[in-house]
Amino acid sequence: MNNKLFVPLVLFTQILLGQEIKKDSITQLEEVVISDKRVSNPVIGITATDIIGATTFENYSPLDIASTMNQISGVFLLSGALNTNRITIRGVGARTPFGTDKLRLYYNEIPITNGTGFSTIEAFDLENLGSIEVIKGPKGSAYGSNLGGAILLQSKTQKTDGSVLSNNFTLGSYELLKNNLDFSHRSGNIDLSLKYGHMETNGYRENSRFERDAILLNTTYSINTKNQIELLVNYIDYTAQIPSSISKDAFDEDPTQAALTWKQAQGFEANKYTLLGLTYSHAFSKNLKNATSIFYSYLDHYEPRPFNILDEFTNGFGFRTNFTGSFTIPTGETNYSFGSELYKDEYHWGTFENLYRDNNGNGSLKGDQISNNREFRRQLNVFGAITLPLTSKLLVQAGFNINKTFYDFQDIFNTAEDNKSAKRDFKPVFLPNLDVSYAFSDTQLLYANISKGFSNPSLEETLTPGGIINPDIAQETGNNYELGTNLLLANKKLQLKVALYQMDIKNLLVAQRIGEDQFIGKNAGRTKHQGLEVDANYRFKINPDLALHPFLSYTLNNHKFIDFVDGDSDYSGNPLTGVPRNKINTGIQLKHSSGLYWNTTLQHIDEIPLDDATTLYSAAFTILNTRLGYKKEIAKDFVIGVDLGVNNISNAQYAQSVLINAVGFGGAAPRYYYPGNARNYYGSFQVSYKL
């Protein structure tokens, strides 16, 4: 029996039913046809993941990856600036002071998380993405089994044969200028995409100018029906001033101001980032395939801060291989996968005095060297999974991941007894995963998951206050329990997804600040992460020319410390710091056959506890955005588009990111708040021509 469904409904149903999904099917067609055949995907799993693509991207401005990601239930992206983002999934990662860790990030199946587990999603242009897929929790055995899960970025590709040249030009508030030029070609055995992007903005706050240039090359060559080669080249060069966080009084008085010392030092970061990946795919037979990638990354980072100047570079390299296959048993087709991933990097970093106070108001000035260090970091993941159809309706998948992590820290600056060089070799950790899926019908499905995950401390977190590696620092580990359902209702126009989960984490890693630029880690106890996630999408046509699509995602976070004693303070029973209890994203999309569309979204974030004692909370806020656009083919092979958008329509004053457990230095008040932008506007003009 065949059923015509709208693409987003199809995708979610396919994922939950375990059907294999072609990457280029996401949000490209109005409707497709699927069959009742259920084929599991052992790489992703048979429990729910979330995929967003062009339909979601159209709700927001082409640089607003924070709002885009926050439309996914269970995901919270805190954005202190375009270059300062922290992603938490189901509360995991909320205690990280800066940046994103405790999850793994992939770009076209190439791992881009560094050797200590940190990821920088801001290095990638939203306009170049075709989809973002989120695996919540440690369910993705093939993607590291981290407690936070994994995020899979997929580049935008051309869907039809021929050559297309397109350009999108955007202007906006705060002197925003963004341009994205794209040449794509697809014919025969070749699929090529070359993109160049430039963006600059002065930002809402003082000392927040951002400028980025990026080149992306993605090409695939099919040698024959069994062999394929894919090349990925991504180069980014960006410079971003840093306004940093501000105190509550400063936030209330003038949210546009930068932190005083960062303003005086004219603090900034300059980054040159290169990612190279080469993937070879081979079909041994109809039932056995392999994809193997080798990759290299280079990051040159320079960051003058008020307390010192950081000068560093990182060389990262490794490989990833994955075999997928199938065989038939009496109850149906059984799928399996197995493979491994090795990532190694060499991190060289040094700090220097910042003499900005002696530089006549001209900002940072490099002084004497303070430290010189080198780190060798290595992670190996071995994974596998098998999916068994016990009946025509019941699927069971068993998977595993084995992780081995090694750190080698070399102090090149100090000698004799002052030298802090040391090694840390973590024992292998075994991470099993079990999925069960039962389809009552083609519109009703129930799934359950039990899985184990882990998180590594960063190398710096393993250091004692004296700078010596602490062998007692352990990896975080946790058990995840999840129950969910996926329903198609109202003649398959309404899709409803509900997930309940509990994750018990022990050996909680706590980053304790002991200086302006010094954090140490310790294992401080246990947390319990409980939550409810609801996603609803409704699609129908008001008339033959007008389609309506309301949507809602709701997240309830009931995360708390179970056992957390810090010195003389007992925080057991308190809510987990840095996580809002409620998060709501809702909106409506209207599309007319003439090419006119109007999208409006609302985001509500509950108050956030800012310290472990829960004596201070950030204020809850609600943000309303809207975007009106028109896209039409005005001549053969020639398409134009224009859109106008308004963000934060009500001009709310809010903190788009927060720093938990902030500490004041030199008598200054603690700086908890990263203010979000005031009401702002943007407009884009797109043109596309098929050559």
Side-chain angles (χ1 to χ4, degrees):
M1 180 180 71
N2 291 333
N3 303 285
K4 291 186 176 182
L5 303 175
F6 286 100
V7 169
L9 304 184
V10 173
L11 285 169
F12 284 115
T13 305
Q14 285 178 303
I15 294 167
L16 289 175
L17 291 178
Q19 291 180 319
E20 185 176 353
I21 298 172
K22 294 183 178 180
K23 294 288 185 180
D24 62 2
S25 66
I26 297 172
T27 67
Q28 298 302 317
L29 304 174
E30 285 298 317
E31 57 185 22
V32 295
V33 178
I34 63 172
S35 69
D36 288 339
K37 184 179 180 182
R38 299 166 63 224
V39 180
S40 71
N41 186 340
V43 178
I44 298 296
I46 58 178
T47 56
T49 63
D50 288 86
I51 300 178
I52 56 175
T55 300
T56 301
F57 299 164
E58 286 180 355
N59 288 332
Y60 308 102
S61 78
L63 67 157
D64 192 359
I65 196 166
S67 295
T68 302
M69 292 285 293
N70 282 330
Q71 191 168 309
I72 303 172
S73 64
V75 176
F76 187 30
L77 194 159
L78 299 95
S79 182
L82 290 173
N83 58 309
T84 307
N85 297 291
R86 182 167 80 252
I87 303 173
T88 67
I89 299 179
R90 293 180 171 176
V92 177
R95 297 191 59 84
T96 303
F98 308 104
T100 296
D101 69 349
K102 306 184 192 303
L103 59 83
R104 291 194 68 78
L105 188 64
Y106 291 79
Y107 194 90
N108 288 0
E109 298 291 313
I110 301 293
I112 51 178
T113 298
N114 74 13
T116 58
F118 274 80
S119 306
T120 53
I121 198 167
E122 56 267 23
F124 301 93
D125 193 332
L126 183 61
E127 286 193 76
N128 292 337
L129 298 180
S131 67
I132 302 174
E133 182 170 6
V134 178
I135 302 171
K136 302 173 188 175
K139 297 178 293 186
S141 298
Y143 297 101
S145 293
N146 286 74
L147 287 171
I151 297 176
L152 315 179
L153 307 179
Q154 193 71 25
S155 61
K156 186 187 298 182
T157 58
Q158 186 172 316
K159 310 307 171 189
T160 58
D161 288 345
S163 299
V164 177
L165 182 65
S166 59
N167 192 81
N168 187 35
F169 180 73
T170 303
L171 292 174
S173 300
Y174 318 125
E175 300 184 36
L176 168 66
L177 185 153
K178 188 176 191 300
N179 193 74
N180 191 276
L181 179 64
D182 180 4
F183 171 76
S184 299
H185 174 79
R186 182 175 180 176
S187 65
N189 297 333
I190 297 178
D191 191 346
L192 181 146
S193 178
L194 178 62
K195 306 175 191 292
Y196 168 73
H198 173 79
M199 183 174 71
E200 58 184 75
T201 176
N202 281 336
Y204 168 60
R205 300 175 60 197
E206 297 175 326
N207 201 60
S208 60
R209 179 167 177 79
F210 182 93
E211 186 168 349
R212 179 179 67 193
D213 290 280
I215 298 174
L216 172 64
L217 171 66
N218 191 39
T219 182
T220 302
Y221 177 69
S222 297
I223 302 171
N224 50 44
T225 57
K226 291 187 175 183
N227 298 281
Q228 179 177 283
I229 296 177
E230 181 176 354
L231 174 66
L232 170 68
V233 180
N234 191 35
Y235 175 76
I236 300 153
D237 183 349
Y238 75 86
T239 301
Q241 292 181 315
I242 302 174
S244 195
S245 55
I246 56 177
S247 68
K248 180 66 164 62
D249 288 342
F251 176 77
D252 292 337
E253 173 190 282
D254 179 12
T256 67
Q257 63 183 297
L260 179 61
T261 54
W262 284 86
K263 179 181 177 181
Q264 292 173 341
Q266 299 177 23
F268 69 94
E269 63 171 317
N271 295 275
K272 292 181 174 63
Y273 174 75
T274 301
L275 174 66
L276 303 174
L278 182 65
T279 302
Y280 172 65
S281 301
H282 175 71
F284 296 95
S285 67
K286 179 181 178 181
N287 297 323
L288 180 60
K289 299 177 182 179
N290 172 260
T292 297
S293 302
I294 56 174
F295 48 87
Y296 168 78
S297 62
Y298 175 76
L299 173 63
D300 187 337
H301 178 89
Y302 183 77
E303 183 178 344
R305 297 91 64 92
F307 36 85
N308 62 38
I309 294 176
L310 173 65
D311 193 354
E312 63 182 17
F313 68 90
T314 306
N315 286 293
F317 47 91
F319 79 92
R320 176 179 172 85
T321 186
N322 188 26
F323 292 85
T324 57
S326 64
F327 57 89
T328 302
I329 61 176
T331 53
E333 189 174 65
T334 297
N335 292 310
Y336 63 89
S337 74
F338 62 91
S340 63
E341 175 185 309
L342 175 66
Y343 186 93
K344 301 176 65 175
D345 62 12
E346 299 177 8
Y347 174 43
H348 301 252
W349 61 280
T351 56
F352 300 81
E353 291 181 337
N354 192 337
L355 306 178
Y356 70 94
R357 291 185 177 91
D358 305 322
N359 199 24
N360 300 317
N362 294 316
S364 295
L365 178 65
K366 195 172 184 178
D368 293 337
Q369 189 162 10
I370 303 171
S371 67
N372 187 15
N373 306 281
R374 183 167 55 201
E375 299 175 13
F376 295 89
R377 310 174 298 199
R378 181 172 70 244
Q379 281 203 44
L380 173 66
N381 287 288
V382 178
F383 54 86
I386 185 167
T387 307
L388 299 171
L390 299 185
T391 70
S392 61
K393 296 179 178 295
L394 180 63
L395 288 177
V396 175
Q397 181 181 89
F400 73 91
N401 181 284
I402 300 173
N403 178 272
K404 183 73 172 66
T405 300
F406 172 81
Y407 296 147
D408 181 359
F409 173 68
Q410 299 178 3
D411 183 352
I412 304 173
F413 189 76
N414 296 299
T415 59
E417 66 273 6
D418 294 326
N419 188 274
K420 306 299 192 300
S421 298
K423 297 179 181 180
R424 182 65 199 270
D425 192 2
F426 289 98
K427 294 180 179 180
V429 56
F430 178 72
L431 307 162
N433 179 27
L434 179 66
D435 289 311
V436 179
S437 170
Y438 186 82
F440 294 93
S441 68
D442 64 342
T443 61
Q444 298 176 342
L445 183 136
L446 183 70
Y447 70 88
N449 172 264
I450 301 175
S451 52
K452 182 177 181 179
F454 85 110
S455 295
N456 279 322
S458 68
L459 190 147
E460 287 70 35
E461 285 180 321
T462 66
L463 302 180
T464 66
I468 303 297
I469 284 185
N470 180 0
D472 296 326
I473 294 293
Q475 296 162 306
E476 285 182 338
T477 57
N479 296 317
N480 180 69
Y481 311 93
E482 183 173 346
L483 182 66
T485 186
N486 186 28
L487 305 173
L488 295 178
L489 307 170
N491 198 26
K492 301 183 181 179
K493 294 178 181 178
L494 171 64
Q495 185 207 26
L496 179 64
K497 293 174 55 187
V498 181
L500 286 165
Y501 68 88
Q502 177 173 309
M503 193 184 311
D504 299 317
I505 299 177
K506 64 180 181 179
N507 291 325
L508 175 70
L509 286 166
V510 175
Q512 183 177 10
R513 191 169 194 164
I514 60 174
E516 283 191 279
D517 186 37
Q518 190 175 8
F519 292 85
I520 62 169
K522 62 180 180 178
N523 297 114
R526 297 183 296 122
T527 57
K528 179 182 289 185
H529 298 240
Q530 294 177 319
L532 167 68
E533 295 164 0
V534 179
D535 292 277
N537 292 272
Y538 188 71
R539 290 181 176 270
F540 71 96
K541 288 191 174 182
I542 299 175
N543 58 49
D545 295 318
L546 186 62
L548 178 68
H549 174 210
F551 58 88
L552 167 72
S553 72
Y554 170 69
T555 303
L556 171 64
N557 297 310
N558 184 27
H559 310 329
K560 62 179 60 178
F561 298 111
I562 300 302
D563 178 16
F564 183 14
V565 178
D566 187 5
D568 296 329
S569 300
D570 187 351
Y571 302 126
S572 303
N574 287 0
L576 181 65
T577 323
V579 181
R581 182 172 176 83
N582 297 283
K583 181 174 80 80
I584 300 172
N585 284 77
T586 187
I588 190 168
Q589 295 181 323
L590 281 170
K591 289 191 177 183
H592 193 269
S593 60
S594 64
L596 185 69
Y597 62 90
W598 182 26
N599 304 334
T600 300
T601 61
L602 180 145
Q603 179 189 72
H604 174 78
I605 302 297
D606 211 347
E607 61 183 12
I608 300 174
L610 299 179
D611 62 346
D612 294 333
T614 62
T615 60
L616 183 64
Y617 284 78
S618 67
F621 63 87
T622 302
I623 301 297
L624 183 66
N625 302 323
T626 191
R627 180 176 180 177
L628 177 67
Y630 177 80
K631 191 173 184 179
K632 190 69 173 178
E633 184 176 10
I634 60 173
K636 180 176 173 55
D637 300 327
F638 187 66
V639 178
I640 65 167
V642 62
D643 61 66
L644 299 171
V646 184
N647 298 322
N648 192 7
I649 293 174
S650 64
N651 201 31
Q653 183 174 326
Y654 67 103
Q656 192 165 348
S657 184
V658 294
L659 180 64
I660 66 169
N661 295 316
V663 178
F665 294 95
R671 299 187 285 112
Y672 288 97
Y673 299 92
Y674 292 88
N677 293 343
R679 183 190 300 118
N680 60 94
Y681 309 86
Y682 65 92
S684 299
F685 177 74
Q686 310 101 35
V687 59
S688 175
Y689 180 67
K690 188 171 183 179
L691 304 175

